[in-house]
Amino acid sequence: MSVTTEGRRRPGVGAAPRRSSATERRRRRQGLVAWLFALPFVLIFMVFMFGPLVWSFGMSFTDMTIRDIRTPFSVNFEGLQNFVAVFQDETFRKALVNTLYFTVVGIPLTMVFGLALAVALNTGIEKFRAVFRVGFYTPVVTSIVAVAVVWRFMLQGDGLVNTVLGWVGINGPDWLNDQYWAMPSIILMAAWRNMGTLMIIFLAGLQAIPSDVYEAAEVDGASKWRQFRTMTLPLLRPTLLLGAVLLSVGFLQVFEEPFVMTKGGPLNSTLTMSFFVYNQFGYGRFGFGSAAAYVLFAFIAALAAVQFRILRSKD
């Protein structure tokens, strides 16, 4: 009887490996199909993004110029000399200060505007909420060149802004041709354009906060401002972090606004690091420009790390 039982059990014992083998083959086929679908993107990414990224990193350690395009492997290895030269360049230091000024002022301003709009849409505005969302988000999906051109005409000496100020007896400056007002003007335009993105992000974060939290606070007698300060802001820390990082990446790479509105002037007062890198490649200084680009990358990574440190959840 035991022999017969063992004989009957042997096919069952051998079936598990066969099923496992069939499952493994099916997974391999599915993985192969997935890679076939992803192959076009992988090839495009490797050729047009990863490849140039590696090449530019290599160029940053050489003295490559436009004259070396035909013989790229005959350039001289410079080591860290390009990176040292970047920080010794007075124009780059000016661009660095301008970019930090744009970022340090622009990010808080944009986040305050975006959060104020999100709170208003979440609690104060009941009717036509969708209309307000679309209206404030429209500048985000509008061409930055078109937006910059419109603002450039508005900020001219005889433009719309000064015309409105003249109605109340204020003689406004020539905003974009004044070295003290040019950068604040671009910051204001950038904040107006980007606050729609943060409004949508912050609104999603506000709607994810349970309503019973506020109900309990109201029972305890907490005012609206205290609820916002002690409950809403702490619960929005991950959302604030996301908004801050997204803005940092964009603001540190600001290029289109000064390029269209001021060409980096007057007196380099709106020249940014991205604009500086663009100029270096235009001058044919490929090695030096690549080094400047990676310095900009280092600043972006450092600022993102600081933001993660400050705004990350304490849980």
Side-chain angles (χ1 to χ4, degrees):
M1 177 65 81
S2 61
V3 175
T4 304
T5 304
E6 291 177 359
R8 290 177 180 176
R9 290 178 179 176
R10 285 176 184 172
V13 174
R18 284 197 297 271
R19 285 196 299 270
S20 177
S21 179
T23 303
E24 188 66 26
R25 286 196 298 270
R26 184 169 63 253
R27 289 178 178 175
R28 284 199 296 265
R29 286 197 300 268
Q30 291 174 349
L32 179 61
V33 171
W35 275 107
L36 288 175
F37 277 107
L39 185 61
F41 167 78
V42 173
L43 291 177
I44 293 174
F45 176 80
M46 295 295 293
V47 173
F48 294 102
M49 295 189 68
F50 184 74
L53 186 67
V54 175
W55 183 259
S56 66
F57 184 72
M59 281 197 306
S60 65
F61 297 98
T62 68
D63 62 350
M64 187 174 184
T65 64
I66 194 171
R67 293 173 297 181
D68 300 312
I69 291 180
R70 292 185 177 180
T71 56
F73 295 103
S74 63
V75 297
N76 297 317
F77 181 76
E78 295 288 326
L80 298 177
Q81 184 59 39
N82 283 332
F83 294 91
V84 174
V86 164
F87 286 100
Q88 291 176 344
D89 190 286
E90 183 178 353
T91 305
F92 175 80
R93 293 199 299 268
K94 177 67 173 177
L96 173 60
V97 172
N98 292 339
T99 304
L100 293 178
Y101 173 34
F102 182 88
T103 303
V104 170
V105 176
I107 289 180
L109 185 65
T110 309
M111 293 186 69
V112 168
F113 284 163
L115 185 57
L117 289 174
V119 172
L121 289 176
N122 190 53
T123 59
I125 299 177
E126 297 295 336
K127 296 182 179 180
F128 307 109
R129 182 177 295 180
V131 175
F132 280 98
R133 289 180 184 176
V134 174
F136 285 112
Y137 193 72
T138 299
V140 179
V141 297
T142 305
S143 170
I144 178 58
V145 175
V147 171
V149 168
V150 171
W151 274 76
R152 186 180 66 187
F153 283 106
M154 289 173 54
L155 293 171
Q156 287 180 345
D158 56 351
L160 178 61
V161 174
N162 282 348
T163 300
V164 174
L165 291 177
W167 294 346
V168 294
I170 299 177
N171 186 20
D174 189 357
W175 301 92
L176 298 180
N177 290 317
D178 189 307
Q179 62 175 324
Y180 300 106
W181 287 107
M183 183 59 80
S185 301
I186 295 178
I187 291 174
L188 184 62
M189 190 273 283
W192 169 82
R193 182 175 182 271
N194 290 279
M195 66 183 181
T197 301
L198 293 189
M199 177 194 69
I200 298 298
I201 295 174
F202 292 158
L203 185 59
L206 289 170
Q207 293 177 347
I209 299 176
S211 59
D212 56 357
V213 175
Y214 295 105
E215 293 173 359
E218 290 179 357
V219 171
D220 293 338
S223 63
K224 293 293 184 181
W225 169 246
R226 187 174 181 183
Q227 292 178 31
F228 178 78
R229 182 172 53 86
T230 61
M231 297 171 57
T232 303
L233 287 180
L235 292 173
L236 276 180
R237 288 176 71 95
T239 309
L240 293 172
L241 173 61
L242 174 62
V245 172
L246 291 176
L247 278 184
S248 300
V249 174
F251 276 36
L252 283 174
Q253 297 183 90
V254 60
F255 171 76
E256 293 91 345
E257 293 90 336
F259 180 79
V260 174
M261 298 174 68
T262 62
K263 298 297 182 183
L267 300 177
N268 289 332
S269 60
T270 58
L271 182 70
T272 61
M273 286 196 289
S274 292
F275 207 153
F276 178 85
V277 172
Y278 170 82
N279 287 338
Q280 300 314 307
F281 279 91
Y283 300 152
R285 304 174 66 187
F286 296 157
F288 184 79
S290 297
Y294 277 94
V295 171
L296 173 58
F297 169 78
F299 275 101
I300 294 174
L303 182 57
V306 171
Q307 290 170 334
F308 271 97
R309 180 71 177 178
I310 295 175
L311 295 175
R312 67 181 180 180
S313 177
K314 296 182 179 181
D315 295 339

